[in-house]
Amino acid sequence: MKQEEINDKGRRDFIKTAAIATVAATACGSLACSCSSKHEPPKTGEKVKLLSQDGEIVEIDSSHLDHGNHMTMAVKASKKQAREGIPGRKFVMVIDLARCKNARKCVSACQKMHHLPEDKEWLTIKLMQDSDKGSPYWFPKTCFHCDNPPCVKVCPVDATFKRQDGLVLIDNERCIGCKFCMAACPYSTRVFNWNEPHQDVSIANYTPETSTPSKIGTVEKCDFCPDMIRQGLLPDCVTACPNGVFYFGDENEDAVTNGDETVSLSQLLKDRGGYRFMEELGTQPRLYYLPPKDRLFPVERGYESLPEKTKEKYKEAMEKKK
Amino acid sequence: MELNTFQQQAFDYQRPHIEKFGKRAWFWTIFYLLWIVLGGYALYRQMTKGHGITGMRDNVVWGLYIVNFIFFIGISYAGAIIAGLLHLFKVPWGKPIIRLAQMMTIISVVVGPIFILLCIGRLDRLHYLFIYARLQSPLTWDVVAVLTYFAGSVLFLYMALIKDFSVYRDAKLNIPKWKQKLYTALSLGYRGAASQKRHLIISQNLLAIIIIPLSIIVSSILSWVFGMTLRPGWHSTIFGPYFVLGALYSGCGVLIVAMWVYRKMYKLDDYFTDRHFTYLGYIMMVLAAGYGYFTFSEYFTSWFGSEKWDSEVINKLFNPAQYGWWTLFANVAGIILPIAIVAIPQTRKTGPITLVAFIMVIALWVKRYLIIVPTLESPLIPMQDTRHEYIKYSARWPEWALTFAGIATFMLFFTLISKFVTVVPVSGLEDTKNNREHAMGLLKKEKIQPA
Ligand code: SF4
Ligand code: SF4
C-alpha cells in the first residue's frame, strides 16, 4: 500500500482505505502480490471475511492472509514508521459487553497470531461484578492504548511509545526490562517475559508492529495488530469473535466495524451508552465499552462449558455471585 | 601535619587497626566473600535463566530487590544528612562519629543501586539508560539524582579525609609500600598551611550545604517512582517527606548499631561514649515520633476515606491472615518501642538503645516490604488467575541469596575501609581550640561517670 495513497485519501472511510490492499490483493490473487505474485500459496479452503473498498464483505481464501509469517515485504513498516504510526488515523475499539459469552475465541486467536503460550494472555476475559446486587458479566480486556498513557510516561528509554494514530507500542529491542511500565499501568495489561519464550517463530524482521517474536527480559502486551491493519485487515480478536463483540475502526472516520456490520462510532456510543473503563483515572483509553444491557447470553453460558482449568479462574467470582 | 596531644592519642590508639589486617578481619572478610560468591551465583543464574527463577511475576513485578534498594539508599541519605548537619553546626560531640556517618553514606550508596540493577530484565542494555534517556521518566530522574548524589557524597567524605591522609602519610606507619604511596597521593600534598586549611574548610562547608538538600531531593525522587503511579497505597502526596523521614530514621538506627559494633571490636569506648548513644537515641526518638505521625496519617486517611482500592490494601495490611502480624511488628518495633525505650530513663542506656535500634532497623525493612508488595498484589482489575505464584509474592532463593550478599557487601566495605582509614577521624577536632577542649572535657567526664 502506497503511503501517498493513504495521505491523499484524507478522511475517507477507514474501512475503505483499510480494504484497498485487500481488494487489490484479491484482484491478483495474493496479498503480497505487490512484491511477488509468483509465490501463490496453496489454497486452504478456509474462507475469511473481509471488507472491500465499497464497504461490502468479501470472502477470500485464508491462504491469502499472511498469518504465521505475518509481515511481508509489501507491508512491513520501517522502524521509523512503526514509531510514527499510520498518518491520518486514530484507531479506536469498542467492546460490546452485552454480546460476550466468554467464548474465548479472541484469546486463542490472539495467542495463535502472536505465538504465545497458553498461559500468556495479552487479551484476557474477566468476570466482573460492579456491585453486590449487580449481575456479573464477562469483560474482555485488551490494552486500552490510552491517550494519556501512564506506561509511556514512566518508560526511561522510550521503549514504549505513543504513536500519532493512537496506538501504544513496545519496542522489545529497546526495552531494558525495568518493569516500571507494568507497575504504572493501572489495568494490569502488560506481561513480562520471565523466561526464554521458546517460540516457534522464524521471523527475522522484528518491528514493534509485529510484537513477535518475544524476547526474554522484556515487556509485551496487546498491540491492536498494526501489522494486520497495514495489510488492510482487522485485528485477529475482532475477526475471531463469533458474536461480534469487538468493533474496530478509526475515530477520524467515525466508523467502526466488527466484521459483520459497519457503524458510526458516535452513533453507537450514543445509542448504547458507551463508556470508558475507569475514566476517573484520567488515562483516556482509546477503548470504549458498551454496557451489558439486554444481553444475548446468560453469564453462566460462558462458565459451564469451560474446561476445568479455565473454570478455576472464575470460580471465586462465580461463587460470590451466588 | 602537627597533631595536638588529643589527636596524637587518638591516632596512636587506632594505629594498629590500619597497620595490620588481623586474623579476625580475615575471618570476616572471607565470611562475607562467601556470601557474595553465593549472590554472584544467583545473579549468574538470573541473568542466564531469566527473572523466572525469582519470585517476581506479572502482578508483583518488583520484590525484595526494590525493598533492599529503598532500604540501603535510605541509610545512605541519612548518613549524609547526619554528617552534613553535624559538620555545619559544628556539634562538638559529633566530631568522632562524623566519619562513621560518612562511611555509611558511601557504602550504602554503592550497595543500594546494585539492587535496582537486579530488577532490570536486560542488563545487557543498561547503557540505553544513557543513550536513550527520556527525561519524563521518574526513573531517569532517579538515575541522575543517585549519580549526582554519589559524586557529592564521595567528595564530602574525601574532603574530610584529606587531613587524615596527611597524618597517615607522615606517621611512618608500618605498612606496605603501595599503601604508603596511596596515602601520599590521596593527601594531595596537604601540609596544614593556612591557605590549604582555608580552602579545605570552605569546600567542606560547601559540600555539607549541598549534600543536605541533595539527599532530601534524591530521597523524594525515589519515593516518586511509586508516588507517581496510580496505585492504591503508593499514589500519595506525602510519599516524598515520608520517605525522607523513613530514611533518616532507619539510618540513625544503623549509625547507632555501627557505633556499638566498632566500639566493641576496636575498643573505642573513649570516642563512642555512652553520651553519643544517648544523644543519638534522642534523635532516634524524635524521628520515630515523626515517622509514626506520617504512618498514622497514611493509614488513617485511606482507612477513613475507604475508597475501594485503598480499603483493599488496608485490609491486606491489617488482616492477620495476610500481613497483619507484619504490620503489627513494623509499627510496634519500628515506632513504639524506640520511643518507649529512650523515653524511660531506666532503659535509656547504651545496651537497650542499641538493641532497640537494631530491631527498629529490621522493622523498617519490613515496613518497606509492606509498602511495596501488598500494593502490587492489589491490582485494580481482579487477577482471576490460577497460578499461585502470580497471585501472592514470595521471594525465592536467588532473591534471598542476593539480599544477604548485599548485606555482606555492606559489612565487607565497612571492614575494609576501617582497615584503611581510622574510624574516628584523628584530625577532626582541630578546628577550634574551644571544640577540642570541649570534646576532651566531655570524654573525661564520661570516663568518671559509671556506665
Ligand atoms: S492500558 Fe496500560 S499498557 Fe495499555 S496504554 Fe494504558 S497504561 Fe499503557
Ligand atoms: S520495562 Fe521496558 S517498556 Fe517498560 S518502562 Fe522499562 S524499558 Fe520501558
Side-chain angles (χ1 to χ4, degrees):
Chain A
M1 186 160 34
K2 286 199 204 82
Q3 210 64 51
E4 313 85 66
E5 216 172 35
I6 308 167
N7 286 338
D8 291 346
K9 296 253 184 304
R11 294 182 45 84
R12 280 183 59 184
D13 187 350
F14 154 72
I15 308 305
K16 289 183 185 172
T17 31
I20 288 175
T22 316
V23 175
T26 336
C28 69
S30 161
L31 248 190
C33 72
S34 48
C35 70
S36 83
S37 47
K38 277 172 254 160
H39 309 296
E40 171 104 4
K43 292 247 187 298
T44 60
E46 190 189 333
K47 293 290 178 209
V48 176
K49 276 185 194 158
L50 290 172
L51 273 154
S52 77
Q53 193 166 6
D54 314 317
E56 275 167 32
I57 292 173
V58 291
E59 277 198 352
I60 62 164
D61 193 89
S62 74
S63 63
H64 294 149
L65 305 179
D66 214 356
H67 270 250
N69 201 2
H70 51 94
M71 289 311 287
T72 59
M73 291 306 287
V75 287
K76 182 178 178 273
S78 69
K79 270 218 133 157
K80 190 159 165 276
Q81 284 171 324
R83 275 189 173 262
E84 282 170 354
I86 305 175
R89 300 304 188 75
K90 266 280 176 244
F91 296 113
V92 66
M93 189 180 264
V94 182
I95 291 182
D96 187 351
L97 298 175
R99 294 190 193 186
C100 179
K101 67 154 196 184
N102 194 23
R104 306 184 72 76
K105 293 280 183 281
C106 52
V107 179
S108 49
C110 173
Q111 286 174 333
K112 183 165 169 243
M113 155 123 181
H114 298 102
H115 303 267
L116 305 177
E118 207 194 319
D119 62 352
K120 194 193 258 175
E121 295 178 353
W122 288 2
L123 198 175
T124 61
I125 300 176
K126 304 287 180 196
L127 181 58
M128 298 288 254
Q129 184 169 6
D130 293 340
S131 58
D132 285 348
K133 287 252 181 311
S135 150
Y137 56 91
W138 297 108
F139 182 83
K141 185 177 72 72
T142 65
C143 170
F144 293 167
H145 294 268
C146 309
D147 273 348
N148 184 18
C151 57
V152 171
K153 282 198 263 183
V154 300
C155 180
V157 294
D158 206 11
T160 184
F161 50 87
K162 179 85 185 163
R163 314 201 304 177
Q164 50 169 292
D165 58 8
L167 302 194
V168 171
L169 298 185
I170 303 166
D171 181 351
N172 77 13
E173 287 171 342
R174 172 80 65 89
C175 172
I176 60 167
C178 67
K179 310 169 200 154
F180 198 2
C181 54
M182 301 180 73
C185 168
Y187 309 111
S188 319
T189 294
R190 297 173 162 244
V191 293
F192 190 75
N193 284 300
W194 297 99
N195 301 307
E196 193 57 62
H198 293 302
Q199 282 162 318
D200 165 32
V201 198
S202 53
I203 304 173
N205 299 324
Y206 168 84
T207 79
E209 292 203 343
T210 62
S211 303
T212 309
S214 307
K215 283 191 188 66
I216 185 171
T218 63
V219 169
E220 56 192 36
K221 66 166 184 74
C222 154
D223 58 3
F224 271 8
C225 303
D227 46 343
M228 302 284 281
I229 302 174
R230 273 197 203 267
Q231 294 181 68
L233 302 171
L234 290 166
D236 254 22
C237 48
V238 180
T239 36
C241 179
N243 303 314
V245 168
F246 297 86
Y247 288 85
F248 188 79
D250 187 337
E251 190 182 302
N252 286 343
E253 316 287 355
D254 193 28
V256 286
T257 180
N258 64 357
D260 292 330
E261 51 169 1
T262 305
V263 289
S264 148
L265 171 70
S266 48
Q267 199 63 40
L268 186 67
L269 296 181
K270 190 170 149 220
D271 293 348
R272 302 280 311 277
Y275 70 99
R276 296 192 293 192
F277 187 67
M278 288 190 198
E279 181 80 60
E280 66 275 18
L281 291 179
T283 52
Q284 305 188 18
R286 293 209 64 76
L287 183 135
Y288 293 82
Y289 283 99
L290 304 179
K293 180 179 172 284
D294 301 329
R295 301 197 208 167
L296 292 190
F297 312 96
V299 73
E300 289 78 10
R301 278 277 292 278
Y303 182 70
E304 305 304 347
S305 52
L306 290 178
E308 233 9 81
K309 215 173 135 214
T310 324
K311 234 179 186 168
E312 198 64 34
K313 286 188 188 181
Y314 305 112
K315 213 169 205 156
E316 206 182 321
M318 210 63 189
E319 267 156 20
K320 202 176 128 208
K321 179 209 157 206
K322 282 168 193 163
Chain B
M1 215 192 89
E2 287 285 301
L3 294 178
N4 62 41
T5 30
F6 180 59
Q7 293 165 343
Q8 192 62 51
Q9 191 190 331
F11 178 62
D12 289 340
Y13 192 72
Q14 298 184 77
R15 191 181 177 129
H17 299 309
I18 54 172
E19 268 184 333
K20 65 175 203 295
F21 206 85
K23 267 204 194 98
R24 201 158 53 168
W26 273 116
F27 171 79
W28 285 111
T29 306
I30 290 169
F31 178 74
Y32 298 143
L33 280 175
L34 287 178
W35 278 104
I36 295 171
V37 168
L38 181 67
Y41 175 68
L43 178 61
Y44 165 76
R45 294 281 294 187
Q46 180 175 314
M47 284 178 73
T48 47
K49 294 264 164 195
H51 282 208
I53 66 163
T54 70
M56 300 184 281
R57 289 295 180 269
D58 284 345
N59 290 299
V60 183
V61 292
W62 294 330
L64 280 198
Y65 296 151
I66 211 99
V67 173
N68 293 332
F69 175 62
I70 305 174
F71 180 76
F72 279 111
I73 287 279
I75 294 174
S76 174
Y77 299 151
I81 294 178
I82 294 173
L85 289 177
L86 291 179
H87 176 86
L88 274 185
F89 292 107
K90 305 214 179 336
V91 184
W93 60 267
K95 292 288 176 191
I97 60 170
I98 279 196
R99 167 121 353 126
L100 207 53
Q102 286 175 325
M103 276 162 66
M104 214 170 86
T105 304
I106 305 283
I107 294 171
S108 35
V109 79
V110 172
V111 176
I114 296 176
F115 282 103
I116 196 84
L117 296 184
L118 297 177
C119 297
I120 288 182
R122 299 293 303 226
L123 279 175
D124 52 322
R125 298 179 181 171
L126 199 59
H127 55 289
Y128 288 7
L129 275 175
F130 300 98
I131 55 179
Y132 297 121
R134 231 174 123 264
L135 274 185
Q136 295 94 315
S137 168
L139 212 65
T140 311
W141 311 343
D142 218 18
V143 171
V144 174
V146 169
L147 287 178
T148 315
Y149 171 80
F150 176 71
S153 51
V154 167
L155 274 180
F156 187 41
L157 172 70
Y158 180 54
M159 289 294 162
L161 272 170
I162 289 182
K163 276 187 205 165
D164 265 26
F165 282 138
S166 73
V167 174
Y168 312 152
R169 175 197 63 199
D170 301 340
K172 305 216 170 44
L173 290 167
N174 181 19
I175 47 171
K177 262 221 181 77
W178 64 266
K179 211 165 166 184
Q180 180 69 36
K181 270 194 189 147
L182 205 55
Y183 285 146
T184 311
L186 287 172
S187 61
L188 297 178
Y190 186 85
R191 306 259 161 226
S195 70
Q196 288 182 323
K197 267 190 194 161
R198 212 187 58 241
H199 282 138
L200 201 57
I201 293 207
I202 295 177
S203 13
Q204 262 181 288
N205 287 348
L206 263 180
L207 279 165
I209 294 173
I210 295 172
I211 205 86
I212 295 171
L214 194 62
S215 318
I216 294 178
I217 295 170
V218 177
S219 186
S220 311
I221 289 178
L222 170 63
S223 80
W224 291 338
V225 167
F226 309 100
M228 296 289 180
T229 63
L230 301 170
R231 295 274 187 146
W234 286 4
H235 190 50
S236 155
T237 48
I238 67 164
F239 249 42
Y242 193 20
F243 268 53
V244 173
L245 212 65
L248 260 177
Y249 180 39
S250 57
C252 186
V254 174
L255 186 57
I256 292 177
V257 175
M259 253 167 43
W260 188 86
V261 171
Y262 274 117
R263 179 165 129 155
K264 265 258 132 50
M265 269 185 7
Y266 289 1
K267 312 236 169 353
L268 294 174
D269 300 51
D270 285 356
Y271 303 93
F272 300 153
T273 64
D274 286 343
R275 185 154 300 194
H276 283 109
F277 286 89
T278 318
Y279 286 174
L280 281 177
Y282 284 139
I283 297 180
M284 178 169 80
M285 183 174 73
V286 173
L287 290 170
Y291 190 71
Y293 166 65
F294 271 99
T295 309
F296 180 73
S297 317
E298 229 345 67
Y299 289 161
F300 190 55
T301 44
S302 25
W303 171 78
F304 196 88
S306 65
E307 250 192 284
K308 183 176 168 197
W309 312 121
D310 283 343
S311 331
E312 195 178 315
V313 174
I314 290 285
N315 285 345
K316 278 205 173 115
L317 286 175
F318 287 90
N319 178 354
Q322 303 224 31
Y323 293 100
W325 293 111
W326 291 113
T327 309
L328 192 70
F329 169 71
N331 291 308
V332 170
I335 297 168
I336 299 171
L337 208 59
I339 297 182
I341 295 292
V342 182
I344 303 170
Q346 282 79 6
T347 50
R348 200 187 302 139
K349 302 255 158 57
T350 301
I353 290 181
T354 309
L355 184 67
V356 88
F358 182 69
I359 299 174
M360 174 271 274
V361 170
I362 297 174
L364 259 91
W365 185 91
V366 172
K367 174 73 205 214
R368 267 63 170 255
Y369 188 94
L370 293 174
I371 292 180
I372 301 303
V373 177
T375 285
L376 286 172
E377 280 175 358
S378 319
L380 302 192
I381 292 193
M383 287 188 208
Q384 297 181 352
D385 207 314
T386 41
R387 297 163 296 178
H388 190 257
E389 71 273 24
Y390 278 69
I391 300 172
K392 188 138 176 59
Y393 171 75
S394 68
R396 296 199 178 164
W397 78 266
E399 288 155 292
W400 287 115
L402 279 158
T403 300
F404 286 114
I407 299 172
T409 317
F410 185 76
M411 307 293 241
L412 180 65
F413 272 126
F414 264 112
T415 313
L416 296 183
I417 294 184
S418 68
K419 289 288 157 196
F420 188 64
V421 301
T422 53
V423 179
V424 176
V426 292
S427 52
L429 294 146
E430 65 157 8
D431 297 336
T432 65
K433 203 161 168 285
N434 253 348
N435 274 353
R436 181 167 73 236
E437 273 161 9
H438 187 104
M440 288 179 74
L442 196 81
L443 290 167
K444 281 196 191 113
K445 218 164 83 205
E446 209 58 64
K447 268 186 183 164
I448 12 182
Q449 264 179 10

